[in-house]
Amino acid sequence: MVDSMTNFDISPSEIREMSPLISAHIGDAYWHLYVRTRLLKTTKNVRKLHDLSAKIVSAKVQAEIYKKIESGLSDEERDSFRRGRNAESHAPRKSSVAEYHASTGFETLLGELFLKKNFSRLEEVCTAAFDAAENYRN
């Protein structure tokens, strides 16, 4: 399964030309799976896993996470975030517009790292992001 998830060939220029919302869609899925997997060390209770992961993957928390990890990102990674943040998207239901746009930027960053197959950096960013969400893991 992992091989089939990574068995694609999209050039960096193709990634840059696609809508940042596509990258955000991929980044959102990756972040959900990453958070749920990491939370298994906290609990094996499905309800608690759901509640904790829902908090951490929320737009509000993702916006906070980005602020905490931004200084450790490269210029190119901050550009990915900005493209996602500035993409035209629908109004949020459970967060402010600014939080929603910031979370879209965060997800775009993760999605672009995944699509570029930069898995070691993706792991570093996700680890820093998960650590930055420590207040939400209880």
Side-chain angles (χ1 to χ4, degrees):
M1 163 114 165
V2 173
D3 286 341
S4 64
M5 286 180 51
T6 60
N7 191 17
F8 57 86
D9 195 25
I10 303 172
S11 73
S13 63
E14 288 175 304
I15 294 167
R16 236 172 123 69
E17 290 170 7
M18 70 176 57
S19 166
L21 297 178
I22 293 172
S23 297
H25 182 70
I26 299 299
D28 175 62
Y30 186 87
W31 182 238
H32 273 263
L33 182 59
Y34 182 89
V35 167
R36 289 175 180 177
T37 304
R38 288 287 306 269
L39 286 173
L40 289 175
K41 292 183 179 183
T42 305
T43 184
K44 304 292 189 278
N45 179 288
V46 172
R47 182 68 180 161
K48 188 163 182 169
L49 278 171
H50 171 77
D51 292 345
L52 290 173
S53 66
K55 249 191 276 184
I56 294 171
V57 301
S58 72
K60 178 184 186 313
V61 174
Q62 286 182 20
E64 291 176 22
I65 286 170
Y66 182 78
K67 288 177 191 173
K68 291 179 180 179
I69 68 167
E70 181 180 18
S71 65
L73 300 176
S74 69
D75 290 341
E76 182 180 353
E77 291 166 343
R78 286 192 291 274
D79 285 344
S80 293
F81 168 82
R82 280 190 287 275
R83 276 194 306 283
R85 181 196 62 201
N86 296 336
E88 187 144 342
S89 59
H90 293 88
R93 288 185 283 163
K94 295 183 177 183
S95 62
S96 73
V97 172
E99 290 167 339
Y100 185 77
H101 287 297
S103 71
T104 302
F106 173 72
E107 293 166 350
T108 299
L109 165 61
L110 300 183
E112 287 188 8
L113 288 170
F114 183 86
L115 293 171
K116 291 176 182 177
K117 297 183 182 181
N118 192 345
F119 302 123
S120 62
R121 182 61 179 152
L122 179 60
E123 176 68 24
E124 290 171 4
V125 171
C126 285
T127 297
F130 190 78
D131 291 347
E134 68 182 313
N135 294 338
Y136 299 95
R137 296 195 312 250
N138 301 323

